[in-house]
Amino acid sequence: MTTQKTNIPAAATVATGQKAEYSLTVYTENQIGLLNRIAIMFSRRKINVISLNTSPTEVDSVHRFTIVINETEEVVRKLCRQIEKQVDVLKAFYNTDEEIIWQEMALYKVPTDEVAEKVKVERLLRKYGARAVVIRKDYTVFETTGHREETDSLIKALEPYGLIEFVRSARVAIIKDSKGFHEKLKSYEKSDPGEELIENEFLNQQDEVFTM
Amino acid sequence: METLEIAKAKKAKAETTSISGSVAVLEALIAENVTEIFGYPGGAIMPIYDALYDYERKLHHILVRHEQGAIHAAQGYARASGKTGVVFATSGPGATNLVTGLADAMIDSTPVVCITGQVFAQLLGTDAFQETDVVNITTPITKWNYQVTDASEIPSVLAKAFYIASSGRPGPVLVDITKNAQQQLFEYAGYKKCDHIRSYRPKPIIRKEYVENAAKLINEAKKPFVIFGQGIILGKAEKEFTAFLEKGNLPAAWTILGMSAIPTDHPLGVGMLGMHGNYGPNVLTNECDVLIAVGMRFDDRVTGRLDKYAKQAKIIHLDIDPAEIDKNVKTTVSVWGDCKETLPMLTALIDKKDHKSWLQKFATLKKQEDETCINAELNPTGEEMTMGEVIKTLNELTKGNAIIVTDVGQHQMVACRYAKYNNSKSNITSGGLGTMGFALPAAIGAKLGTPNNTVIAIAGDGGFQMNIQELGTIMQSNIGVKILVLNNQFLGMVRQWQELFMDKRYSFTNITSPDFVKVAEAYNIPGEKVTDRSALKNALQKMLESKGAYLLEVMVGKENNVFPMVPQGCSVSEIRLK
């Protein structure tokens, strides 16, 4: 399998030898242990994983990892090939931010009385495209989805009002130019369906065992 | 309708039998034509060993003395025979003792299937007795691994394991089987070999246009130079490769693992590459105009300083593993594919040439190397024996027909530099990982894999002590391995570096050894120690003529160095002759 870059070559947007944010999209079988097999590709080279998301795909048995790292294209290209070499990996792509549509979701917990009193909640929500997920007497949870800068700026906006807790999801990304692979994947699944995932069915039967 | 259903049910029943997971493991091995297993029993693998008791005639199990010995033996077996080596080990310490061997097999692309016992599935994660997270420990050092918790998975998982281990670029596979799965009875519908996994493409698709581009470069080249690795041997492409070389009259040098793919005396074979390789191939790497790399991975011990490596040359790389292309050295043309298929395509397109003056250059540099260091190593005039003269004398007796298994260090480099090989797969050594203690167990495996061959383990006094317990395996299973210990009373390679680069500060490289001949004797292995040149040839002859195992210890010069040498951080053309 070839490691293919989609859409515009990264060189057009990122200078050679320069580190940049790359999103790796890895299509895999749904197998236990694969997360580790992929994660150690990065830790082995002492590369920090900025974000990692696992997700199902449009095809039943195929799983998808979206991994964000900050590295040079050279390093990312080699990594992608090493990942694709793994037996349970179907395909690995890497893309610059320009080549993908991406989103991250964030949740913010703030004291309700503070925001109710001091902030014009309505304006805040409109400005940041956020919405209230839960409104309780003691706290309110807002949610927003967008690029990093967007979720970051809402932190800043809410900090003065006693932000209690913040969490951001991993990046999910869709490759702009992915139609070709989608077709391939579908025909793949049809002619050669994936195997079923087998989990440990015995963990709750500890009392029934005799060991030596 | 009803009768049809009943008939169907009956038929289905007749096609399955109820067997245990353990029996399924052994049936899988038989179906995969496994004849030898290297292993060591223990609590969590006892059900498999219990089943093995009834299979003794079909499966020959060799009881080793340490699990590391088992996996190195399986590696030696695989490397000598071309078959997949099989290992049994128990959970916990049994499995962790396999780690070095797995790493070694991974980096040297050796097909090995390890089956480890694991605690009951119910106990996973409870810190049970001899529980270790073996699958996660071995993930970076296996091509694939899997934990079985239900017996019904065993046939298909082992079929996958054997397929993955031996196909494409081979490598080690580990299957961890919980004890309940070994004991469990299940409906067995027979064993079906695996020949396809949808997410796995062992061989990349060959692109004809790249083969054509490569041929064009070769045809235009004035100074083409072929460098080759173990890919030729693993791809069983020795004939195809020789035909390629001979048509184009292309000089070819081998990596340490590629050695023996062509006979060492082949007129186009110009020697070994790398840190302690031959002078000509190293120097001329930086003079050739087209460098053709076949089934090799540009290891740093081969390339030296990368930014000064073959910068003047156009580079063609033939490899089965796409991840190797452009990994260390940027290629001009890459030919992805199995070299057994790509080489004949390339041969058909290249012109017949003689490259006389270019080949002459290699001969000239060889002469220079002979005069500056080889002659002194092979025909020493001093009192002390050299490792080189021992290998030279051995060559005279074996005529290049023995399988030589080396350990790691000075003796390894000397053996690889000077030993003669007529047959493919006759040089077995730990190349990528450099595992001391490899030779003795690997030789055991090599002998069992090719019983008609003379198998000689060559080890230093340091490495031999690292898996010396395997003498017990040789004794118990009667394995006719010849052991040649080249004793310089030092950890020689490290000492050499200390001498050359660290002001002779011999920090902990001075090693004392037991009386090896006496140790062997305790294991019922006859032996001899030679300290004098005049006794060397007879002693070697006696070793080779002895019926079974034999140990010969040869005392060699304490502070001899291996030359030529490309010092670390230097370019290949900065190779030192002394």
Side-chain angles (χ1 to χ4, degrees):
Chain A
M1 278 186 252
T2 340
T3 311
Q4 281 172 354
K5 288 199 15 69
T6 54
N7 209 355
I8 330 150
T13 48
V14 183
T16 350
Q18 287 288 305
K19 282 194 181 184
E21 206 161 81
Y22 283 93
S23 294
L24 285 81
T25 306
V26 184
Y27 288 91
T28 73
E29 300 291 355
N30 191 12
Q31 288 292 330
I32 291 166
L34 199 52
L35 172 62
N36 181 36
R37 206 169 256 284
I38 290 174
I40 59 176
M41 292 284 174
F42 301 94
S43 52
R44 173 176 177 181
R45 295 166 176 81
K46 210 172 177 191
I47 295 172
N48 181 40
V49 172
I50 297 171
S51 126
L52 187 155
N53 178 74
T54 70
S55 151
T57 61
E58 66 274 18
V59 175
D60 260 353
S61 61
V62 177
H63 223 66
R64 164 176 187 153
F65 289 71
T66 306
I67 305 153
V68 183
I69 59 168
N70 189 42
E71 257 306 336
T72 61
E73 198 205 343
E74 173 88 357
V75 169
V76 178
R77 182 171 47 79
K78 286 178 189 170
L79 255 170
C80 235
R81 282 197 182 162
Q82 295 292 344
I83 291 173
E84 200 165 86
K85 185 166 135 179
Q86 301 306 314
V87 171
D88 291 317
V89 172
L90 291 152
K91 192 91 189 161
F93 297 98
Y94 67 96
N95 297 96
T96 58
D97 289 357
E98 287 74 36
E99 295 164 355
I100 52 169
I101 315 285
W102 62 279
Q103 294 278 282
E104 290 166 354
M105 196 197 74
L107 296 175
Y108 311 77
K109 190 189 205 180
V110 282
T112 301
D113 46 355
E114 284 268 320
V115 277
E117 265 176 41
K118 294 177 187 163
V119 196
K120 290 206 167 148
V121 178
E122 206 190 315
R123 196 196 52 178
L124 190 83
L125 299 194
R126 211 166 277 168
K127 187 172 171 196
Y128 294 96
R131 66 187 183 94
V133 185
V134 172
I135 305 170
R136 287 178 33 152
K137 253 188 173 172
D138 46 346
Y139 65 80
T140 297
V141 174
F142 293 113
E143 178 247 288
T144 187
T145 302
H147 282 195
R148 184 98 28 87
E149 311 82 67
E150 294 164 308
T151 50
D152 274 353
S153 56
L154 187 53
I155 302 184
K156 287 212 178 79
L158 290 173
E159 242 163 17
Y161 309 108
L163 178 67
I164 300 167
E165 200 178 328
F166 162 76
V167 63
R168 179 163 50 214
S169 77
R171 169 182 296 191
V172 290
I174 276 185
I175 303 170
K176 286 177 182 168
D177 184 19
S178 60
K179 192 158 180 278
F181 186 65
H182 164 78
E183 301 293 335
K184 229 186 219 172
L185 206 58
K186 282 203 87 160
S187 71
Y188 228 45
E189 178 71 8
K190 213 172 157 192
S191 66
D192 200 355
E195 284 170 31
E196 160 195 21
L197 172 77
I198 298 168
E199 290 179 278
N200 185 356
E201 300 297 338
F202 302 91
L203 282 175
N204 55 354
Q205 295 172 24
Q206 243 182 71
D207 300 343
E208 297 162 31
V209 208
F210 166 77
T211 62
M212 59 168 289
Chain B
M1 281 302 279
E2 226 181 84
T3 45
L4 190 69
E5 289 294 314
I6 294 166
K8 257 190 186 170
K10 267 189 182 166
K11 202 178 164 214
K13 215 173 178 188
E15 278 172 1
T16 62
T17 42
S18 190
I19 64 168
S20 71
S22 297
V23 170
V25 168
L26 303 181
E27 287 295 332
L29 300 187
I30 288 166
E32 293 289 348
N33 299 318
V34 172
T35 48
E36 263 79 25
I37 303 163
F38 303 92
Y40 206 100
I45 198 168
M46 279 188 66
I48 289 177
Y49 270 89
D50 186 57
L52 188 59
Y53 199 62
D54 297 326
Y55 277 74
E56 237 183 321
R57 288 210 187 133
K58 293 182 191 166
L59 292 165
H60 179 207
H61 177 275
I62 294 97
L63 178 69
V64 294
R65 292 298 177 271
H66 186 289
E67 289 85 353
Q68 188 187 355
I71 187 159
H72 289 332
Q75 290 179 270
Y77 179 86
R79 295 264 293 266
S81 71
K83 290 167 70 181
T84 299
V86 177
V87 175
F88 282 176
T90 194
S91 67
T96 55
N97 280 343
L98 299 179
V99 165
T100 304
L102 286 169
D104 195 291
M106 186 71 177
I107 201 164
D108 281 350
S109 309
T110 312
V112 175
V113 171
C114 294
I115 294 166
T116 50
Q118 181 56 281
V119 301
F120 288 85
Q122 294 90 323
L123 296 177
L124 287 169
T126 65
D127 301 323
F129 177 64
Q130 293 192 330
E131 186 202 351
T132 308
D133 186 357
V134 171
V135 168
N136 279 312
I137 287 176
T138 60
T139 294
I141 47 170
T142 50
K143 186 173 172 187
W144 186 72
N145 61 8
Y146 190 84
Q147 183 173 62
V148 171
T149 50
D150 193 289
S152 62
E153 297 180 81
I154 288 172
S156 62
V157 167
L158 285 179
K160 262 177 104 170
F162 277 93
Y163 174 56
I164 292 168
S166 61
S167 58
R169 179 177 179 176
V173 167
L174 182 137
V175 178
D176 195 37
I177 308 178
T178 57
K179 199 168 178 181
N180 59 296
Q182 298 170 36
Q183 293 171 333
Q184 185 194 339
L185 292 172
F186 74 107
E187 290 306 311
Y188 177 65
Y191 185 82
K192 205 172 147 271
K193 277 198 177 190
C194 175
D195 59 7
H196 164 78
I197 296 167
R198 70 169 188 172
S199 58
Y200 168 62
R201 187 165 293 170
K203 293 179 190 178
I205 294 163
I206 299 165
R207 298 199 196 161
K208 221 180 141 204
E209 63 271 27
Y210 291 147
V211 180
E212 288 163 0
N213 291 346
K216 196 165 164 261
L217 281 186
I218 296 171
N219 288 337
E220 286 165 3
K222 299 269 177 293
K223 299 188 233 168
F225 181 28
V226 178
I227 55 178
F228 65 94
Q230 198 192 191
I232 308 283
I233 297 171
L234 293 170
K236 301 182 175 69
E238 293 91 344
K239 269 192 193 150
E240 290 79 358
F241 181 63
T242 312
F244 167 68
L245 294 182
E246 288 173 356
K247 184 170 179 193
N249 255 315
L250 305 164
W254 48 81
T255 67
I256 189 168
L257 291 189
M259 182 174 297
S260 86
I262 61 171
T264 37
D265 283 341
H266 192 285
L268 291 167
V270 293
M272 184 166 83
L273 295 160
M275 188 173 267
H276 291 289
N278 291 102
Y279 188 59
N282 274 310
V283 169
L284 297 177
T285 296
N286 279 0
E287 208 183 306
C288 65
D289 56 359
V290 175
L291 188 66
I292 307 137
V294 188
M296 56 87 73
R297 59 184 180 82
F298 292 106
D299 181 85
D300 58 276
R301 286 295 195 266
V302 161
T303 63
R305 236 180 110 151
L306 267 182
D307 61 347
K308 290 186 180 172
Y309 182 78
K311 286 293 171 196
Q312 79 296 342
K314 295 200 167 101
I315 291 171
I316 300 169
H317 192 179
L318 286 77
D319 209 284
I320 199 167
D321 178 0
E324 287 301 340
I325 307 285
D326 292 340
K327 188 184 83 176
N328 296 334
V329 173
K330 275 253 183 276
T331 50
T332 318
V333 177
S334 47
V335 182
W336 299 10
D338 183 342
C339 60
K340 184 146 183 110
E341 293 161 34
T342 53
L343 280 170
M345 291 167 76
L346 199 53
T347 308
L349 296 176
I350 61 166
D351 301 335
K352 279 192 179 171
K353 293 238 169 111
D354 70 2
H355 294 300
K356 216 173 165 185
S357 59
W358 173 233
L359 284 164
Q360 187 52 44
K361 277 211 153 159
F362 284 92
T364 311
L365 293 183
K366 166 140 197 338
K367 207 171 156 228
Q368 203 180 330
E369 185 180 352
D370 276 340
E371 285 162 4
T372 347
C373 66
I374 295 181
N375 286 342
E377 178 69 29
L378 299 189
N379 309 299
T381 45
E383 200 179 303
E384 289 180 331
M385 276 190 278
T386 63
M387 292 183 181
E389 72 175 310
V390 180
I391 305 296
K392 186 190 88 173
T393 315
L394 190 64
N395 285 338
E396 287 163 7
L397 297 168
T398 64
K399 310 260 187 302
N401 289 321
I403 291 188
I404 292 184
V405 187
T406 63
D407 217 74
V408 171
Q410 284 188 319
H411 74 277
Q412 175 191 32
M413 292 298 116
V414 171
C416 289
R417 285 180 54 80
Y418 300 112
K420 294 250 171 282
Y421 302 99
N422 299 337
N423 310 307
S424 180
K425 297 198 281 281
S426 53
N427 169 48
I428 297 170
T429 191
S430 166
L433 200 70
T435 306
M436 284 175 72
F438 177 83
L440 185 63
I444 291 172
K447 181 67 186 171
L448 287 161
T450 58
N452 297 326
N453 280 325
T454 300
V455 175
I456 306 164
I458 305 181
D461 44 323
F464 184 53
Q465 290 184 68
M466 268 204 199
N467 271 320
I468 198 166
Q469 78 285 346
E470 297 309 325
L471 291 172
T473 309
I474 291 174
M475 172 181 67
Q476 182 166 1
S477 297
N478 242 325
I479 301 161
V481 172
K482 315 297 177 197
I483 305 155
L484 178 58
V485 180
L486 300 179
N487 188 347
N488 60 5
Q489 304 165 70
F490 263 115
L491 299 174
M493 187 56 91
V494 181
R495 188 213 53 75
Q496 175 172 342
W497 282 49
Q498 287 170 338
E499 177 190 330
L500 297 175
F501 312 117
M502 285 164 180
D503 293 332
K504 287 198 177 184
R505 287 155 53 88
Y506 290 164
S507 180
F508 300 98
T509 42
N510 184 342
I511 185 169
T512 53
S513 297
D515 183 331
F516 290 129
V517 177
K518 268 193 190 158
V519 171
E521 195 193 335
Y523 283 102
N524 255 331
I525 298 168
E528 189 186 347
K529 177 175 176 172
V530 174
T531 50
D532 195 80
R533 182 166 292 134
S534 60
L536 178 64
K537 192 162 187 176
N538 279 340
L540 281 168
Q541 180 128 28
K542 202 172 154 200
M543 170 182 90
L544 292 170
E545 282 170 359
S546 71
K547 264 204 165 151
Y550 192 91
L551 181 139
L552 177 65
E553 179 186 7
V554 180
M555 299 307 288
V556 293
K558 277 185 85 169
E559 298 188 42
N560 291 345
N561 290 333
V562 186
F563 278 112
M565 178 179 194
V566 180
Q568 208 166 30
C570 288
S571 150
V572 282
S573 49
E574 294 169 294
I575 184 166
R576 285 169 59 172
L577 277 169
K578 55 186 172 185

